[in-house]
Amino acid sequence: RDYRFYADDMLHPSTAAVDYIWELFSGAFFTDETKKNVREWQDIHKALEHRPLNPESKEYESFKEKNLKRLENFTKQFRPLV
């Protein structure tokens, strides 16, 4: 057994295990375009989770606007063409 793949409770997978499985799974089943979309979503998601030191600053307002546009552009490609 490789214990680095177990969480502290020795029952559940560790973060390293989940990341390793995700890497193998996505490498085997995702197209290059899907991989690109996943990376883009991960970047957007990380930005959405950001907690500012000064939420009233102009820089943070600009940051929010930029990421809102990124999110809108990202979701446009998944809307049905009806």
Side-chain angles (χ1 to χ4, degrees):
R1 287 186 157 171
D2 192 344
Y3 293 105
R4 69 185 162 159
F5 292 120
Y6 290 90
D8 290 339
D9 63 7
M10 299 304 288
L11 294 173
H12 296 91
S14 68
T15 302
V18 172
D19 292 344
Y20 179 70
I21 292 167
W22 177 255
E23 183 180 319
L24 292 177
F25 179 84
S26 62
F29 295 106
F30 289 1
T31 64
D32 288 339
E33 183 178 352
T34 302
K35 290 177 192 176
K36 180 181 139 305
N37 288 334
V38 168
R39 279 191 301 274
E40 187 175 349
W41 168 248
Q42 288 171 336
D43 289 344
I44 293 169
H45 186 260
K46 185 177 178 181
L48 291 172
E49 289 186 328
H50 178 72
R51 298 294 173 246
L53 293 175
N54 185 0
E56 277 76 39
S57 71
K58 291 179 185 177
E59 291 84 9
Y60 185 62
E61 285 299 319
S62 173
F63 176 79
K64 287 193 311 187
E65 288 175 21
K66 176 184 141 200
N67 285 299
L68 181 59
K69 287 201 182 299
R70 283 179 67 193
L71 184 58
E72 288 171 350
N73 290 334
F74 181 75
T75 57
K76 280 181 188 176
Q77 63 185 323
F78 301 108
R79 292 186 185 146
L81 302 172
V82 181

